[in-house]
Amino acid sequence: TGGYRTELFNSFAADNFSVDFVGSVSSGPNVVDRNNEGHRGWRIDQIAASVDGWLSTYQPDMILLMIGTNDILQDYALSTAPDRLSALIDQVTTRLPSSNVLVASIPPTSRSTDDQQQVISFNSSIPGIVDSKVSQGKNVSFVDIFNQLTTSDLADRVHPTAEGYNKIATAWHDAILPFTTIKQ
């Protein structure tokens, strides 16, 4: 389906704004730019292990980072997940200091009450992490995805429905818009 990228691509096309998604993965419908760096099931540490190569290869102007769900679903060292996120943001901003990094809260889950509480706990750490990076002069912004969705926007208790992905695309679009030359 292309997840949120399909609607995000189409939104910018409707704005008459050209975008070029980049990444080593190609997925989604052929009518949109299919490149991305979305890796199903990967945790923060796994993305961190490969991100330097991707950043060197593609050198994106903007990085959309929504990560942490798989750490929670895999119950992987949850107490240090915010530290791993912080380190990943440092890794990205050190490699590409002039790029803009948009860090999103992760969507809700209805898989279990414990998972949802972990999502809420993890998400509560993200604004502070982002604020600390901003105070260091880094080009980092927070995007609140969690509060755009409800559990009724989930197709399988974890992944969004088409409407859920559209809501995510709108949140990304609104967050990216101030960095563009588009006048709304």
Side-chain angles (χ1 to χ4, degrees):
T1 68
Y4 68 79
R5 290 177 299 100
T6 300
E7 182 61 27
L8 182 59
F9 185 87
N10 290 337
S11 293
F12 280 115
D15 293 335
N16 291 315
F17 191 80
S18 177
V19 295
D20 180 20
F21 293 156
V22 298
S24 62
V25 176
S26 180
S27 61
N30 289 327
V31 295
V32 300
D33 187 333
R34 302 178 72 221
N35 300 322
N36 68 89
E37 213 53 75
H39 295 272
R40 287 185 156 253
W42 284 34
R43 299 179 313 262
I44 298 167
D45 63 307
Q46 294 169 307
I47 294 295
S50 297
V51 75
D52 287 338
W54 298 327
L55 295 173
S56 293
T57 299
Y58 300 106
Q59 300 184 7
D61 298 319
M62 184 161 292
I63 295 117
L64 309 183
L65 187 60
M66 183 170 51
I67 190 165
T69 297
N70 292 316
D71 295 70
I72 291 167
L73 297 179
Q74 296 173 28
D75 197 25
Y76 181 77
L78 297 179
S79 65
T80 57
D83 297 330
R84 289 193 302 279
L85 175 62
S86 180
L88 176 60
I89 295 168
D90 287 341
Q91 191 177 351
V92 169
T93 57
T94 297
R95 176 71 61 168
L96 293 177
S98 62
S99 294
N100 292 295
V101 182
L102 278 62
V103 183
S105 55
I106 59 176
T109 178
S110 61
R111 192 176 85 156
S112 77
T113 302
D114 286 346
D115 285 347
Q116 180 70 340
Q117 286 306 313
Q118 292 294 339
V119 167
I120 291 166
S121 177
F122 177 74
N123 281 341
S124 72
S125 71
I126 299 173
I129 293 169
V130 168
D131 288 347
S132 74
K133 305 310 176 189
V134 171
S135 70
Q136 296 168 21
K138 297 179 179 184
N139 300 323
V140 182
S141 303
F142 174 67
V143 180
D144 188 357
I145 297 294
F146 178 85
N147 284 309
Q148 304 304 311
L149 303 172
T150 68
T151 55
S152 66
D153 291 312
L154 302 175
D156 61 1
R157 300 183 299 155
V158 174
H159 299 94
T161 61
E163 181 58 30
Y165 280 126
N166 288 345
K167 290 176 180 180
I168 293 171
T170 298
W172 282 125
H173 179 268
D174 293 350
I176 295 167
L177 210 51
F179 297 97
T180 71
T181 56
I182 299 171
K183 303 293 184 229
Q184 292 283 328

